[in-house]
């Protein structure tokens, strides 16, 4: 039993892989595990694209911000929100499903479904001794990503998942204090309490970065978040998603 | 190693629990495992509310569609998308984070973050011999759910997760065929191929329901999806989410 909790608690993103491709059997195990995740009303609203074509993989790595390890991993999965097959079922079964599948509610359902499946894939891979990294960077240029995988309406690429044999060992990154993330019965919103918790966490994270970078970096979580969120990134997303006929009303 | 894959492959939702509350130590293990999931740019954009107050639990169970096992589980977690603390950090660090945190891109980030964490929680619980069920039903009445947990702007309750000692044994539900969910390099959109795959899957699922319900039910996946998606459910969601200052632009 303990093995699974250990796998979960030892997660770190791997960004350097050995030159070993995943076997068909490993891919099958990972995808099958993904499929066993819970799914809202059994909707199974996602599709996984496995990128084996080297040219496509290189292009996707470049679009995701030139991250070499994306091209050099053992396998690259692209997780897509997917209500395309539901739209066809609607046609074939003479059911008007359009208002439903174009709603914000179903957009949320597809995202959550895809993410639950992806995390099962990640855990399966890690339990097999492989390393993983999520690639949100593909959302930098979804129009281009979409062309590469040729996804129709109602199919939205969400993120990549690179999987492979790890060629680096990094430290586990300290998460927010338990009391910040877990509240009992009522959301704990007092700014003063948050401030105290943040002070503690900022110091802890700063010490972690300081050690990991041998003094090159020592920002806390607040700095990091403020800097990241000041940048307006991927502001085309709303329009793009609506163009895919999702999240419309 | 095999234990983890077995846990993943043996998932079934549990909707009947023994009258045993989770211990503080179990809750801590589950939440800590949730926190170790990957998080986009380390944003950690979620909060987990543990509902121990019996009155609140009953109300939430009623709002989620009168599902008794929600009130009677060993523990009820509510997973919330959360950019509230990031909004405060923006104020305190003099950083204009508003356009960013109110964007559709960051809405997607919070949903994916929360779902990755939740799935880690689910796997942790199952690996400890507990049963779980996701409760999307809380989205029936988010306004009421929100009042119960008193969540501020930028905090959106997404789903519940009931956890407890299983008091039933159900069969694993057959997922879509591998070739429907996993495509190589290019999205496989040919309707004829989908039709053939669906025929096979509909028969398989129909046989599963027939056996499980001793002949009371034998619909295929296409029927089930058409019926479900014909209903316009939770169409208030877009407005509610925007009212929470999320998914606005």
């Amino acid at each position: 039993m303990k093995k699974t909790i250990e796998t979960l608690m030892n997660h770190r993103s791997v960004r350097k892989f050995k030159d070993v491709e995943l076997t068909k059997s490993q891919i099958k195990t990972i995808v099958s595990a993904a499929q066993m995740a819970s799914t809202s009303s059994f909707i199974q609203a996602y599709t996984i694209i496995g990128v084996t074509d080297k040219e496509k993989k290189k292009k996707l790595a470049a679009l995701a911000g030139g991250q070499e390890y994306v091209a050099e991993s053992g396998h690259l999965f692209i997780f897509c929100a997917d209500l395309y097959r539901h739209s066809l079922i609607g046609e074939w079964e003479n059911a008007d499903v359009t208002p439903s599948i174009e709603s914000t509610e179903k957009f949320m359902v597809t995202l959550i479904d895809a993410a639950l499946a992806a995390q099962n894939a990640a855990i399966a891979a890690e339990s097999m001794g492989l390393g993983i990294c999520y690639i949100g960077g593909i959302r930098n240029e979804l129009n281009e990503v979409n062309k590469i995988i040729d996804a129709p309406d109602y199919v939205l690429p969400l993120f990549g998942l690179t999987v492979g044999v790890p060629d680096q060992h990094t430290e586990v990154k300290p998460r927010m204090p338990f009391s910040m993330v877990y509240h009992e019965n009522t959301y704990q919103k007092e700014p003063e309490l948050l401030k105290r918790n943040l002070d503690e966490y900022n110091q802890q994270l700063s010490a972690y970065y300081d050690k990991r970078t041998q003094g090159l970096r020592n920002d806390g979580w607040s700095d990091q978040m403020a800097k990241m969120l000041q940048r307006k990134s991927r502001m085309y997303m709303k329009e793009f998603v609506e163009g895919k006929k999702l999240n419309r009303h």
Side-chain angles (χ1 to χ4, degrees), chain A residues 5 25 70 78 84 106 189 221 230 233:
Chain A
I5 303 279
S25 150
V70 176
I78 308 281
Y84 169 72
K106 285 298 178 291
K189 64 183 143 200
W221 192 64
Q230 236 169 350
S233 83

Side-chain angles (χ1 to χ4, degrees), chain A residues 25-212:
Chain A
S25 150
Q26 285 175 316
I27 293 169
K28 182 114 197 205
T29 302
I30 289 168
V31 171
S32 302
Q35 288 197 264
M36 287 311 298
S38 293
T39 158
S40 175
S41 301
F42 211 46
I43 193 169
Q44 304 180 77
Y46 58 88
T47 291
I48 306 169
I49 312 285
V51 186
T52 54
D53 180 305
K54 287 206 193 314
E55 277 312 302
K56 286 193 176 191
K57 222 170 160 185
K58 263 190 210 162
K59 272 190 211 164
L60 287 165
L63 291 169
Q67 306 178 57
E68 277 180 25
Y69 64 92
V70 176
E72 287 161 8
S73 65
H75 202 66
L76 172 62
F77 298 96
I78 308 281
F79 281 78
C80 304
D82 189 349
L83 289 165
Y84 169 72
R85 51 177 87 87
H86 303 80
S87 74
L88 289 182
I89 287 173
E91 277 179 35
W92 297 336
E93 305 278 326
N94 276 317
D96 181 14
V97 302
T98 309
S100 181
I101 64 179
E102 297 188 357
S103 68
T104 292
E105 159 66 14
K106 285 298 178 291
F107 178 58
M108 291 167 65
V109 161
T110 63
L111 260 60
I112 294 168
D113 245 48
L116 298 183
Q119 189 58 10
N120 259 20
I123 299 304
E126 289 183 333
S127 81
M128 293 154 76
L130 300 166
I132 67 112
C133 189
Y134 281 92
I135 313 295
I138 65 158
R139 289 199 308 281
N140 291 339
E141 305 255 18
L142 275 192
N143 207 21
E144 294 304 311
V145 171
N146 195 66
K147 276 185 207 158
I148 292 171
I149 64 170
D150 194 25
D153 284 347
Y154 301 116
V155 177
L156 179 71
L158 294 176
F159 47 79
L161 183 73
T162 53
V163 181
V165 178
D167 198 19
Q168 66 175 180
H169 184 81
T170 51
E171 295 296 311
V172 169
K173 210 161 158 181
R175 265 52 176 178
M176 286 195 291
F178 181 80
S179 66
M180 270 175 81
V181 82
Y182 182 75
H183 307 177
E184 253 189 34
N185 297 309
T186 303
Y187 187 93
Q188 189 58 264
K189 64 183 143 200
E190 284 68 32
E192 283 314 308
L193 182 64
L194 177 60
K195 222 170 210 164
R196 278 203 304 279
N197 271 321
L198 268 180
D199 282 346
E200 182 200 323
Y201 184 42
N202 285 332
Q203 282 174 28
Q204 192 192 356
L205 201 64
S206 169
Y208 162 83
Y209 282 128
D210 191 61
K211 192 181 156 203
R212 186 174 120 175

